[in-house]
Amino acid sequence: MKEKRTADRRNLLRYLKIFDKESGEFLGHLVNISAGGMLMVSEQPVQPDTNLHLHIELVSERIPVKVCCVWCREDPEIESYNIGFNLFATDPETDAKLKMLIQTLKENR
């Protein structure tokens, strides 16, 4: 499959938790992130073209993100789903937090 990403993704050494912003339900773990998208591993599938309001839990805060599911594939080896999301534009404060997270991951590589 041809790579469509235009931004460099940063893999996490320790997965961050992702929650549904409205219900507070735990959805999965963040595997990697870029300025334009992210990969989550979850026990539950997400239908492509589904828009979600999530938050990424850091040690001291939660970063809200709006995403759209691009693809969802079952991973039988770990009995879960790999889910690719596009990130929507955010407010300047959230955008700055995401850039700082990506930069921190880049430096800790």
Side-chain angles (χ1 to χ4, degrees), residues 25 39-40 69 77 84 89 92 95-96 98:
E25 177 185 5
L39 175 64
M40 177 177 79
C69 179
E77 286 186 27
D95 189 45
L98 286 171

Side-chain angles (χ1 to χ4, degrees), residues 64-81:
V65 292
K66 294 178 185 177
V67 298
C68 180
C69 179
V70 179
W71 55 268
C72 180
R73 295 186 191 108
E74 187 172 8
D75 187 341
E77 286 186 27
I78 58 173
E79 297 179 3
S80 65
Y81 295 86

Side-chain angles (χ1 to χ4, degrees), residues 9-19 26-42 54-58 63 65 67 81-87 97-98 101-102 105:
R9 292 258 172 133
R10 295 297 169 199
N11 289 320
L12 281 66
L13 296 176
R14 181 174 171 211
Y15 296 157
L16 301 174
K17 292 180 180 179
I18 299 177
F19 295 86
F26 170 74
L27 296 179
H29 289 95
L30 183 67
V31 175
N32 67 39
I33 189 166
S34 73
M38 64 184 212
L39 175 64
M40 177 177 79
V41 172
S42 176
L54 310 174
H55 66 255
I56 301 168
E57 187 174 83
L58 303 177
I63 300 175
V65 292
V67 298
Y81 295 86
N82 295 318
I83 307 166
F85 294 101
N86 280 335
L87 291 169
K97 289 178 183 179
L98 286 171
L101 173 62
I102 294 166
L105 296 171

